[in-house]
Amino acid sequence: MALIDLFNIKKQYDIKLLLDDVDFHLNAGERVAIVGQNGCGKSTLMKIIMKQEEPSEGKCIINNAIQIEMLSQQPHFEAHLSVRKAIENELSQLQEAKKRFNNLTEILSLDFENTTLHKEYERISAFLDHHNAWNLDDKIERVLQEFKLKEYEDRPVVSLSGGEQRRVALASLILKKPDVLLLDEPTNHLDVYMVEFLEEMLLKEKFTLLFISHDRHFIDTIATRILEVDNKKLISYNGGYISYLEQKEDRMHALQKGHENLLRLLKQEEAWLSKGVRAREKRNQGRKKRVFELRDAAKENPTLIRKMMIELEREKKHFNQEEGVSRKKMLFELENISYAVPGKTLIEHFSVRILQKDKIAIVGINGAGKSTLLKLLLGKLKPDSGVIKQGDFSIGYFDQHREMLDDNKTLIETFCPDGGDRVEVQGSNLHVYGYMKSFLFPKEFLDKKIGTLSGGEKNRIALALLLTKKTDCLILDEPTNDLDIQTINVLEEKLINFPGAILFVSHDRYFIDKIASKLFIFKGNGIIEESYQSYTEYLDIEKELKELESLEKEMRPASLSLHNSVQKEKQKTKLSYKEQRDFDILPDIIEALEHKIELLNECLQDPACYQEKGVHIIGKELAALEKEYEEKSERYFEILEILESL
């Protein structure tokens, strides 16, 4: 069933045409991702649906019975509300419905024949079912925990940062569950674990969703359909992001084939036109017009096909480590560094070497200390203890503040401060327009002041400028924020081809998988792990381990119950004295051995611990404990088998 219908929509601002005669239909249960370059009209489409903007032409038909809600980029809250109250305030309609339902349940238990109340009871029951609002208090508690808002629940919501306030607004919306939810970049300001929770909620609660995102992993997980805004038109692709790429490639091949057919037809028509006399006859003017149209199409198609081919090639490229290149040059050596802020340890006893060809993603929960590590490497902060040794090399740094840009300068002045129109980019001398075109800037932007650009455009400029500098190491803090997917593809291509080291903080799983060959994982409480897995693989394994741990906890009471019941039955068995004694004491011995093995494994993850005790000694001790653990476990299972056979 269609909830939203847009027909022949055209949207124009002065001379700029964003959308030209487009149709769009959203059905119940669909989760549609809108993709396209920044400024192409994605947010405008949402604003038309929300009636915040009127189309220049066309019709927007929305089912009056449905509730549509949109996540604002800058949510507004009443100043007196705490975080918890702000969420509860948005759920007041559901809370009232729950109260009324409880009240009706009591009344109908005394007056069961009241048909009017029965109808109201059924209506409210269906309403609560639709919004899955039966256990709202539990859901509020969980969303506070998962979105890391629990510690702020009693604080005024307006005292939080902009990103934290967006998390409060998002929490309210997913609990409220409107009939249609519109989300503009919902994963901004969320760490990867928050994103996974959001994915779980959106899928489990069966939302009808229209969203804009540059997070390709999120799109692939959530979207049932992708709507691409391209050249003022809407193109629909079924499925998630991987399916979109496959279908787009098929479309490109179809366009190529169509173009070849067009050229054959054009060749025939050009031959006819060259005959001259008959072409000028009035009755043949239509055919002549058709030739000119074919000429225009023949000129336009290769540009469109080439554009699609470049985008797909960028997306298909994967990181391949250069062979035969020495990786021995040391850039940074961190020796047992620690850093804390009041009430929180961010980095504790961390030792590592960073080499000239390393591509390292720094990942983990928000507030764990990822950006702090970058600032320590840059010398903006000093470690509380430990030493950071740095080789002789140059660093290029990108952060969200874009400090390298001057709002009063034009793009041409920014890239060619000494005049001229050429830039040096990693050893190549390029025309500034050609280089800016590779970052998706048209020629007319060269004379624009930096201050007039949007946040996403400024990010593109800052990254493009950074890559013109002669640097051996790039340090990037959330480089994909505010970028569209096409620009992220461009950035990925540049970074994959960058000859030096790259250290970057990001929550974009797809981006990390394509760029990083190594992970620094911030686990919290100062613990940092190194991993050579892809980030997706690491997260999958981590999730499986958590599920196993949860299952183990559920199984433990059952195991204890089994053990106790067997002990109660032991009077009926014919175990020997030694067997009975082992049966009684072995569970405690095995548990103690498990604990010792766990402690030694933790020590092997901590440089300070294993350097103090000696890796060789710890290894021997661990091997002995594991051997004893196997022997004791085997003995215990032998006795259990004896019991079963009696």
Side-chain angles (χ1 to χ4, degrees):
M1 179 181 71
L3 303 180
I4 296 169
D5 290 298
L6 304 184
F7 297 100
N8 310 116
I9 295 293
K10 184 175 181 178
K11 184 61 182 177
Q12 188 160 355
Y13 295 96
D14 297 325
I15 59 168
K16 186 175 182 181
L17 181 62
L18 275 183
L19 301 170
D20 186 17
D21 194 29
V22 301
D23 294 341
F24 170 64
H25 312 282
L26 181 69
N27 296 318
E30 281 196 297
R31 298 185 298 273
V32 180
I34 309 175
V35 301
Q37 288 185 21
N38 284 345
C40 70
K42 301 188 297 292
S43 295
T44 300
L45 191 65
M46 280 192 166
K47 287 174 183 174
I48 289 171
I49 291 169
M50 288 299 295
K51 299 189 176 174
Q52 295 172 0
E53 295 267 4
E54 288 294 325
S56 306
E57 291 178 19
K59 234 186 243 187
C60 181
I61 301 171
I62 296 174
N63 187 331
N64 289 328
I66 66 170
Q67 178 190 26
I68 302 177
E69 297 268 358
M70 182 173 176
L71 175 66
S72 170
Q73 288 286 358
Q74 295 177 318
H76 298 287
F77 297 96
E78 294 177 34
H80 67 281
L81 291 175
S82 68
V83 168
R84 180 178 276 274
K85 288 292 181 188
I87 293 173
E88 289 175 346
N89 200 47
E90 288 296 312
L91 305 175
S92 57
Q93 187 182 9
L94 295 175
Q95 300 278 27
E96 287 301 317
K98 185 75 188 301
K99 282 180 190 174
R100 180 59 180 160
F101 177 83
N102 292 337
N103 182 239
L104 285 170
T105 303
E106 287 181 20
I107 296 169
L108 286 169
S109 67
L110 302 172
D111 185 11
F112 188 74
E113 301 301 324
N114 191 321
T115 54
T116 305
L117 290 182
H118 260 296
K119 285 179 182 175
E120 187 184 357
Y121 177 90
E122 286 169 6
R123 180 178 56 78
I124 292 176
S125 180
F127 176 75
L128 292 170
D129 272 339
H130 174 72
H131 293 279
N132 199 2
W134 297 103
N135 54 342
L136 274 180
D137 290 339
D138 291 342
K139 285 186 169 184
I140 290 170
E141 193 63 31
R142 188 177 177 213
V143 86
L144 286 169
Q145 295 282 0
E146 296 288 351
F147 279 163
K148 305 293 186 292
L149 295 168
K150 182 66 179 172
E151 60 189 293
Y152 308 129
E153 66 176 325
D154 297 320
R155 265 178 59 177
V157 68
V158 292
S159 70
L160 303 184
S161 69
E164 288 161 347
Q165 287 188 40
R166 258 178 66 89
R167 294 211 302 266
V168 174
L170 182 57
S172 304
L173 282 172
I174 61 176
L175 290 174
K176 197 173 183 179
K177 198 193 172 190
D179 298 303
V180 178
L181 179 57
L182 275 55
L183 300 175
D184 192 350
E185 295 292 1
T187 62
N188 279 3
H189 310 290
L190 302 184
D191 65 34
V192 68
Y193 302 103
M194 297 178 196
V195 173
E196 285 187 335
F197 169 68
L198 176 60
E199 289 170 351
E200 178 195 330
M201 290 292 285
L202 293 174
L203 294 173
K204 184 180 174 184
E205 301 291 342
K206 297 182 172 57
F207 276 79
T208 298
L209 194 64
L210 183 65
F211 66 100
I212 297 167
S213 180
H214 68 261
D215 185 330
R216 291 156 292 178
H217 193 287
F218 180 76
I219 293 171
D220 197 49
T221 303
I222 295 299
T224 58
R225 180 158 64 99
I226 290 177
L227 197 69
E228 184 172 30
V229 185
D230 186 32
N231 196 28
K232 307 173 192 64
K233 300 292 184 184
L234 302 182
I235 305 150
S236 184
Y237 299 88
N238 291 325
Y241 191 72
I242 302 301
S243 178
Y244 153 75
L245 290 177
E246 291 167 353
Q247 290 172 69
K248 192 167 182 178
E249 188 168 19
D250 290 342
R251 181 169 170 254
M252 182 192 73
H253 291 318
L255 278 172
Q256 283 177 319
K257 191 172 181 181
H259 183 63
E260 288 165 7
N261 293 336
L262 184 147
L263 289 177
R264 278 196 294 272
L265 178 61
L266 180 59
K267 192 175 179 182
Q268 293 168 7
E269 293 298 292
E270 290 283 11
W272 169 81
L273 186 60
S274 67
K275 292 176 183 175
V277 178
R278 287 186 60 77
R280 285 192 291 272
E281 289 179 14
K282 188 174 181 180
R283 64 177 177 274
N284 286 320
Q285 289 306 303
R287 188 173 177 185
K288 185 177 176 182
K289 184 184 174 187
R290 172 67 177 151
V291 174
F292 295 139
E293 287 172 354
L294 287 170
R295 282 179 184 172
D296 290 341
K299 289 175 187 174
E300 185 181 326
N301 279 357
T303 306
L304 178 61
I305 293 165
R306 191 161 51 249
K307 176 173 170 279
M308 289 175 70
M309 194 178 291
I310 289 168
E311 285 176 8
L312 286 164
E313 282 303 313
R314 280 176 180 149
E315 190 57 281
K316 285 167 147 188
K317 280 184 182 178
H318 290 282
F319 178 82
N320 290 311
Q321 187 65 47
E322 288 182 47
E323 294 179 7
V325 180
S326 170
R327 287 174 48 92
K328 292 181 181 176
K329 183 179 176 184
M330 192 271 292
L331 303 185
F332 296 99
E333 186 170 12
L334 283 61
E335 293 182 355
N336 210 28
I337 67 161
S338 295
Y339 188 86
V341 293
K344 193 173 188 180
T345 300
L346 297 178
I347 300 168
E348 188 169 32
H349 304 306
F350 182 51
S351 298
V352 75
R353 285 185 171 188
I354 298 168
L355 306 177
Q356 71 180 81
K357 300 293 291 182
D358 280 341
K359 303 283 194 292
I360 301 170
I362 301 167
V363 300
I365 58 175
N366 281 351
K370 301 185 297 295
S371 296
T372 298
L373 179 60
L374 296 188
K375 289 172 184 172
L376 287 165
L377 295 174
L378 290 163
K380 292 176 180 282
L381 295 173
K382 299 293 179 190
D384 297 333
S385 61
V387 178
I388 298 176
K389 296 177 184 176
Q390 184 176 328
D392 182 19
F393 65 97
S394 58
I395 297 173
Y397 176 54
F398 170 85
D399 72 348
Q400 293 301 303
H401 302 298
R402 304 179 284 262
E403 293 173 359
M404 65 182 81
L405 300 182
D406 183 343
D407 282 353
N408 296 314
K409 288 186 177 178
T410 63
L411 268 68
I412 190 80
E413 290 168 342
T414 299
F415 284 87
C416 305
D418 301 322
D421 57 8
R422 312 290 295 182
V423 289
E424 285 286 331
V425 183
Q426 295 175 25
S428 299
N429 187 272
L430 304 174
H431 191 280
V432 66
Y433 168 58
Y435 180 58
M436 294 313 296
K437 191 177 178 182
S438 75
F439 276 88
L440 311 179
F441 282 103
K443 197 169 188 176
E444 55 267 26
F445 268 68
L446 289 176
D447 296 320
K448 281 195 173 187
K449 291 276 179 78
I450 298 290
T452 66
L453 303 180
S454 69
E457 288 166 342
K458 285 183 179 179
N459 270 9
R460 269 194 276 164
I461 292 294
L463 288 163
L465 185 62
L466 180 63
L467 291 166
T468 65
K469 309 298 180 188
K470 290 182 180 177
T471 56
D472 302 299
C473 175
L474 294 176
I475 294 181
L476 313 171
D477 197 353
E478 293 285 4
T480 63
N481 273 9
D482 296 321
L483 299 183
D484 55 45
I485 289 172
Q486 287 84 347
T487 309
I488 295 173
N489 287 334
V490 172
L491 176 61
E492 286 168 350
E493 183 182 36
K494 304 290 185 189
L495 294 181
I496 286 167
N497 294 321
F498 180 71
I502 303 172
L503 288 93
F504 65 99
V505 171
S506 181
H507 296 299
D508 187 329
R509 292 160 287 181
Y510 205 98
F511 179 76
I512 293 166
D513 284 347
K514 288 183 80 171
I515 302 300
S517 56
K518 185 178 181 180
L519 306 175
F520 288 168
I521 304 154
F522 277 69
K523 307 286 286 183
N525 300 319
I527 299 167
I528 305 172
E529 286 182 6
E530 289 181 71
S531 174
Y532 289 89
Q533 296 166 303
S534 74
Y535 194 34
T536 298
E537 186 183 0
Y538 169 81
L539 290 169
D540 286 345
I541 292 169
E542 185 183 50
K543 193 172 183 181
E544 283 176 19
L545 287 171
K546 281 180 182 174
E547 287 171 0
L548 285 170
E549 190 179 323
S550 175
L551 186 63
E552 197 176 58
K553 282 179 183 174
E554 289 174 16
M555 293 294 288
R556 244 174 234 154
S559 300
L560 286 170
S561 173
L562 175 63
H563 175 67
N564 291 337
S565 66
V566 171
Q567 279 192 313
K568 285 176 186 176
E569 293 292 323
K570 68 184 178 183
Q571 301 300 329
K572 301 176 186 178
T573 69
K574 296 178 182 178
L575 290 177
S576 69
Y577 171 78
K578 188 174 184 308
E579 287 169 344
Q580 188 65 61
R581 183 174 172 278
D582 286 350
F583 182 72
D584 291 337
I585 65 171
L586 278 175
D588 291 335
I589 293 171
I590 290 168
E591 193 175 338
L593 286 169
E594 284 176 346
H595 182 62
K596 287 179 182 177
I597 289 167
E598 188 179 345
L599 289 175
L600 286 179
N601 278 319
E602 284 177 4
C603 185
L604 285 172
Q605 297 294 324
D606 182 354
C609 183
Y610 66 65
Q611 285 169 8
E612 182 184 338
K613 292 187 177 182
V615 174
H616 184 64
I617 294 168
I618 296 169
K620 282 181 71 176
E621 191 178 344
L622 184 59
L625 283 171
E626 285 175 341
K627 185 181 177 185
E628 186 182 357
Y629 175 79
E630 283 181 18
E631 289 170 353
K632 300 293 185 190
S633 298
E634 192 174 335
R635 171 63 177 162
Y636 185 64
F637 286 121
E638 279 175 8
I639 299 169
L640 284 176
E641 284 178 9
I642 293 168
L643 281 172
E644 285 175 6
S645 66
L646 291 172

